[in-house]
Every structure is written in structure tokens, then in C-alpha cells.
Amino acid sequence: VQLQASGGGLVQAGGSLRLSCAASGFTLDFYAVRWFRQAPGKEREGISCITRAGGRTDYADSVKGRFTISRDNAKNTVYLQMNSLKPEDTAVYYCAAAYVCVLDRTLINYWSQGTLVTVSS
């Protein structure tokens, strides 16, 4: 039973990446999924969430208009499309599953390992 985040890499400012969060051993469509990120020396922050059926999404102000979260329940996967990337988006990105969209990490049921996104200027 695990979540696996993938898709990170090195990209120039203004570029795009798509992160994937794939579940194995359980059905991801029973859960809301939130993406978090943690930059060096900073607190982990929640940046986007999608509800179980995908009917509602939310975004941190720092990524609104540039990032898009989506899900394909048939593939047991949630995506984070990141466009117009900035050097300040450099961080380790994690996905997390919970019954509802929450920022309280004590309510998270599953965490992925991190995937590193590096945006060069």
C-alpha cells in the first residue's frame, strides 16, 4: 500500500512539468489528494488539493493560475500540471491522501515519497 510521486526534474524558468501521484494497493478515488512542497530551509506547504470525485479543487496563492490539479480515477492517479515555473517553485514535492481536503497533516492517511523539482533561472 503506497503512494508514489514522480515527474520531478530540472527545468528552466518559464517551463513546465507534470507530476504524477499513483496509488498502489488501495483505491485512490476514496480519497482527496493534496500536493505539498518543501523548499530548502522552509516549512512544508500545501499547494493544491482535489476532492474525491474531482468536483472541487483549491490552490495556494503562490501557484494559482499556473498549476492545475486533476485526477484520473480509472488510472488511480492524480496529476499536478505545473506551468510558468519560477525558481521559487524549487522544492521537493509530495502527494498525500486524506478523506477530505485538509492541511492538517495529522489527518493524512498516506504520504508519497518526494520528487524533486528544480527550476533554474
Side-chain angles (χ1 to χ4, degrees), residues 32-73:
V33 175
R34 181 174 291 283
W35 285 96
F36 290 81
R37 68 183 181 186
Q38 188 164 18
K42 294 191 176 180
E43 295 275 323
R44 190 173 297 191
E45 64 168 331
I47 57 171
S48 184
C49 192
I50 188 165
T51 53
R52 285 179 285 182
R56 189 174 67 83
T57 58
D58 67 56
Y59 298 93
D61 287 344
S62 57
V63 306
K64 200 172 293 183
R66 300 187 298 121
F67 290 11
T68 303
I69 191 170
S70 62
R71 67 191 303 156
D72 184 341
N73 285 340

